[in-house]
Amino acid sequence: MLSISSYLALKEVWRNRGRFLLVSLVIALITLLVLFIAALGEGLGNGNREYISKLDAELVVFQAKSDFLIQASRLGRNRLLSVRRVDGVDNAGMLGTTNANLIVPADNSSLKVALLGVEPGRPGEPPVEEGQQLGTSQAKEAIIDRNTALRSKLAIGDMLTLRVTQGTDDEFYKLRVVGITGGQQYALQPSVFVPFNTWDTVRPKSEAEIGVSSDPVANVILVKLTDPSQVEQVRSLLTRQVEKVDAATIDEVIQALPGYSAQQSTLNTQGGFTLFIGILVIGGFFQIQILQKVPQIGVLKAIGTSNPIVATAAVIQIVVVTVIGVAVGGLLTFLLSLFFPPTIPIVFNGTSAAVAIIALVLIGPLGGLVSIRYAVKIEPLKALGLSS
Amino acid sequence: MTAYALETQSVIKTYNSDSGIIKAVDDVSLQIAAGEFVALVGPSGSGKTTMLSILAALLQPSSGQILLDGQDLATMSDVARVALRREKIGFTFQANNLVPYLTAVENVELMLRLNKKLDRAGRMRARELLARLGLGERLNNLPGQMSGGQQQRVAIARALIHSPSLVLADEPTASLDTERAYQVVETFAGLIHEQNRAGIMVTHDLRMCEYVDRVLQMQDGKLVKIYTDRKDILKLAKGGRHS
């Protein structure tokens, strides 16, 4: 049955290749759109969560009632010491976050970066791919992420300049680049990692803070556990033993990132609607085609072609046209992606692309279901005009 | 009883309409022997197309018996009827006869493919049959690249290639000019006789009866007259068309 069905299906596709190619191209464009929406979702999500998701830590400790918002949380060194004393905590490090402008050496333009203060050797300091880790908490050193390196053209050993507003004046700080880490974007910005005390010196301050000596205050404390499977137990201990703190898992922190959930659900909805439109377009095309082929299907049935053969031929045709369209669309997407600058947050993640491609391949038969049912219902007598 | 390729007994087909029950076919009994070519004639509404549809296993009769090679079409399941159409019946229709995306030879071979009998000998036979029908140069032409007469001849080849017991033709000359119509029916009759098939042709055009062995005339669903004498048939053929 499969051989006669595929024979009929493929002969028709080949002999009407112009018409079928047009449909494949429409599917290719839908594929392009879906893959780009998926890649944009991945890119935006990645830009938001990349640093957090790669942390070598299982729990993040926040100031109580800060709703797991990193910027809203303030934790001093005394809390850090308390956290380190809790059973099950292997290591803990402070993380301070703020924004700064990096002066690009080539043209003196300003690049907005996330300035992250981390403790050398503690959770939060990203592993370098080139160069070395940070030296001490006071060192005038920085690790930059791959994105910062690409956009600023800074290399190991170069001096980077940060422009930061202190009170009402712009201050410039020079730090030596000692290491380059992989992609570690934070809040959709390329990142610069500096030792925690250096960060406290460099970070933007209000006029009231300037000149006032106080212990550095971090946003959150990153906690690495002795046994990662004991997350819930250690979380419970932390909230009980450390005063006025909440603890969140990495996933909870990601979901609480400002705008993250709304952004992802918006893009997922767009992707879903695009797939839905794809189903309607493919369904419409094959329905029109079946309507045009009623006499032809009538002849086939009259000469003894069974319904399963007619239905299978229709399915094969739909699958072939859809697969060609998705393949062309995937290729187009790949070629186009080569020309996108790193500033556009597009990331082709294998899993999300595979899910999108499987969904696209399935929309063909799904869209064609009505037409297949119609083809099976065609009465040869009526189709051939023999009914009285 | 099984000496005939096709035999019907008291076939009746009724339809319900607003004005009551209509008998489209009313108690028709006939027999066709292998190698016999028969014309089924009658005015519009006489029931000949309904009768052809019943004989083609496309329509179930309300009652009666239709035996094709001893098998009763009236009691068969839908699946068995599809298989019977594929294996034992050959068709040509008025129009839209061919699969438009298959070439002439592919259309003919299609019957062998459907019956899983397409081999080297079958391919050769399809080409030879088309060549005999004057289409040796048109083997690889699509239906859209052929005239109506050429398409009808391809349909005749397709109707005969799988050696069916019964060959049915519904108004095979309807879209042809007179000269082409005579050619097509003459060829059709010749092949039916030569291959020893039972053939039935439904036609409005009585002139085409010149090539048949018997003429069955229907009116108001009934088989009203059977012409068996050659002189009578030729006289009828000279009479022209039914209204």
Side-chain angles (χ1 to χ4, degrees):
Chain A
M1 186 182 82
L2 199 62
S3 67
I4 182 75
S5 298
S6 53
Y7 171 79
L8 289 170
L10 298 180
K11 278 282 179 189
E12 185 173 14
V13 171
W14 180 246
R15 296 266 156 77
N16 298 290
R17 48 193 178 273
R19 179 154 46 104
F20 282 98
L21 189 64
L22 277 177
V23 183
S24 284
L25 284 179
V26 171
I27 296 170
L29 292 176
I30 291 170
T31 304
L32 185 74
L33 193 58
V34 169
L35 286 180
F36 263 106
I37 289 173
L40 194 63
E42 188 64 27
L44 284 170
N46 194 53
N48 247 330
R49 68 168 184 253
E50 194 173 28
Y51 169 63
I52 303 288
S53 64
K54 289 181 179 175
L55 279 175
D56 183 24
E58 287 82 26
L59 286 171
V60 179
V61 176
F62 289 79
Q63 180 187 352
K65 297 179 183 172
S66 58
D67 294 332
F68 297 157
L69 285 172
I70 293 176
Q71 300 88 323
S73 170
R74 294 279 185 278
L75 293 173
R77 187 159 287 277
N78 57 337
R79 301 282 175 76
L80 175 66
L81 297 174
S82 304
V83 167
R84 283 183 183 156
R85 282 197 292 271
V86 171
D87 279 349
V89 172
D90 179 45
N91 203 349
M94 298 177 94
L95 172 68
T97 67
T98 188
N99 299 315
N101 286 299
L102 187 150
I103 307 300
V104 178
D107 56 4
N108 282 331
S109 62
S110 169
L111 172 66
K112 284 190 187 306
V113 295
L115 183 63
L116 303 171
V118 296
E119 292 187 282
R122 301 282 187 183
E125 185 191 14
V128 295
E129 290 181 348
E130 293 173 44
Q132 59 191 50
Q133 299 295 137
L134 297 170
T136 64
S137 267
Q138 276 83 23
K140 304 283 184 218
E141 294 173 347
I143 292 173
I144 58 174
D145 87 326
R146 184 67 60 194
N147 212 284
T148 308
L150 277 172
R151 289 161 72 172
S152 67
K153 308 278 189 254
L154 284 167
I156 308 276
D158 288 350
M159 294 300 287
L160 68 77
T161 307
L162 293 173
R163 190 186 73 215
V164 180
T165 307
Q166 301 272 14
T168 52
D169 301 322
D170 278 352
E171 299 286 340
F172 293 85
Y173 296 90
K174 286 193 181 297
L175 304 168
R176 182 170 300 282
V177 177
V178 294
I180 296 176
T181 181
Q184 295 276 0
Q185 291 180 87
Y186 176 76
L188 288 167
Q189 289 176 322
S191 307
V192 173
F193 298 90
V194 296
F196 187 72
N197 288 339
T198 307
W199 173 80
D200 190 54
T201 310
V202 174
R203 72 180 171 89
K205 295 184 185 73
S206 64
E207 278 188 281
E209 287 178 286
I210 296 171
V212 177
S213 173
S214 62
D215 278 345
V217 174
N219 292 106
V220 292
I221 296 166
L222 308 170
V223 178
K224 184 172 168 55
L225 306 184
T226 315
D227 179 2
S229 65
Q230 301 289 308
V231 170
E232 286 308 316
Q233 290 89 329
V234 179
R235 186 196 334 222
S236 174
L237 286 176
L238 279 167
T239 49
R240 275 191 280 132
Q241 294 178 12
V242 183
E243 207 180 328
K244 292 182 180 172
V245 296
D246 282 336
T249 62
I250 298 297
D251 280 345
E252 287 167 342
V253 177
I254 289 171
Q255 291 304 320
L257 288 170
Y260 180 83
S261 300
Q263 180 191 72
Q264 290 298 301
S265 62
T266 303
L267 288 164
N268 287 340
T269 308
Q270 279 180 4
F273 264 104
T274 312
L275 283 175
F276 180 65
I277 290 167
I279 290 172
L280 293 183
V281 168
I282 295 170
F285 168 77
F286 282 103
Q287 184 63 27
I288 291 168
Q289 185 176 255
I290 290 285
L291 287 173
Q292 289 173 337
K293 285 187 349 185
V294 166
Q296 172 191 321
I297 294 171
V299 168
L300 281 171
K301 287 190 173 187
I303 63 174
T305 310
S306 64
N307 272 334
I309 290 177
V310 171
T312 311
V315 171
I316 289 171
Q317 237 170 40
I318 293 170
V319 169
V320 165
V321 170
T322 310
V323 167
I324 290 172
V326 171
V328 171
L331 186 68
L332 280 177
T333 312
F334 172 72
L335 292 175
L336 271 176
S337 71
L338 298 177
F339 298 98
F340 274 91
T343 44
I344 296 180
I346 281 186
V347 172
F348 289 95
N349 166 297
T351 312
S352 59
V355 168
I357 284 171
I358 290 168
L360 284 160
V361 170
L362 287 178
I363 63 166
L366 203 63
L369 270 183
V370 176
S371 62
I372 292 166
R373 186 178 148 78
Y374 190 88
V376 167
K377 295 258 175 201
I378 289 172
E379 285 283 339
L381 265 185
K382 285 182 186 166
L384 293 166
L386 293 172
S387 60
S388 318
Chain B
M1 194 159 152
T2 49
Y4 295 107
L6 175 74
E7 184 170 10
T8 73
Q9 300 238 327
S10 305
V11 171
I12 295 173
K13 180 66 186 175
T14 57
Y15 292 104
N16 289 320
S17 76
D18 295 340
S19 53
I21 294 173
I22 295 171
K23 274 191 177 175
V25 174
D26 188 1
D27 197 20
V28 171
S29 299
L30 54 83
Q31 298 86 29
I32 317 277
E36 190 181 19
F37 188 32
V38 171
L40 194 56
V41 301
S44 292
S46 61
K48 57 188 190 302
T49 298
T50 306
M51 189 64 199
L52 186 85
S53 303
I54 291 170
L55 298 177
L58 289 167
L59 188 64
Q60 283 276 39
S62 304
S63 66
Q65 196 178 40
I66 304 118
L67 297 173
L68 177 60
D69 284 349
Q71 289 178 275
D72 189 357
L73 275 61
T75 57
M76 278 183 174
S77 67
D78 284 347
V79 173
R81 288 149 67 85
V82 171
L84 183 111
R85 288 206 297 271
R86 186 169 61 232
E87 292 162 9
K88 297 206 171 220
I89 302 176
F91 290 94
T92 72
F93 309 101
Q94 275 187 49
N96 301 315
N97 242 318
L98 305 176
V99 180
Y101 51 82
L102 298 180
T103 62
V105 71
E106 286 167 349
N107 261 290
V108 177
E109 287 174 355
L110 180 61
M111 286 314 299
L112 297 175
R113 276 185 192 277
L114 286 170
N115 285 301
K116 298 187 174 72
K117 286 181 181 167
L118 182 62
D119 52 14
R120 181 188 281 254
R123 288 180 202 277
M124 285 296 295
R125 219 165 59 243
R127 281 164 173 73
E128 282 167 11
L129 194 50
L130 283 168
R132 275 198 59 188
L133 287 160
L135 296 168
E137 304 294 314
R138 297 280 186 178
L139 295 179
N140 295 313
N141 281 36
L142 291 167
Q145 297 165 326
M146 291 186 281
S147 67
Q150 288 168 333
Q151 288 185 40
Q152 277 296 359
R153 280 181 278 163
V154 175
I156 289 170
R158 188 188 63 195
L160 292 163
I161 189 70
H162 56 303
S163 307
S165 302
L166 176 65
V167 182
L168 301 169
D170 179 33
E171 304 280 6
T173 59
S175 56
L176 305 180
D177 60 43
T178 305
E179 192 185 347
R180 290 280 177 210
Y182 277 119
Q183 278 178 6
V184 164
V185 176
E186 185 179 13
T187 309
F188 198 19
L191 285 166
I192 281 171
H193 290 136
E194 186 185 308
Q195 297 189 3
N196 204 34
R197 315 284 170 224
I200 301 177
M201 171 178 68
V202 164
T203 183
H204 267 90
D205 192 348
L206 295 176
R207 294 172 303 173
M208 298 303 131
C209 294
E210 187 180 329
Y211 300 101
V212 303
D213 304 309
R214 269 195 298 158
V215 177
L216 311 178
Q217 191 166 22
M218 289 187 73
Q219 193 164 346
D220 299 329
K222 290 179 187 293
L223 193 57
V224 290
K225 194 165 185 181
I226 299 175
Y227 296 85
T228 50
D229 189 89
R230 192 73 204 145
K231 282 182 192 167
D232 292 340
I233 292 171
L234 289 174
K235 194 176 164 189
L236 181 73
K238 283 184 182 165
R241 288 171 182 271
H242 264 295
S243 56

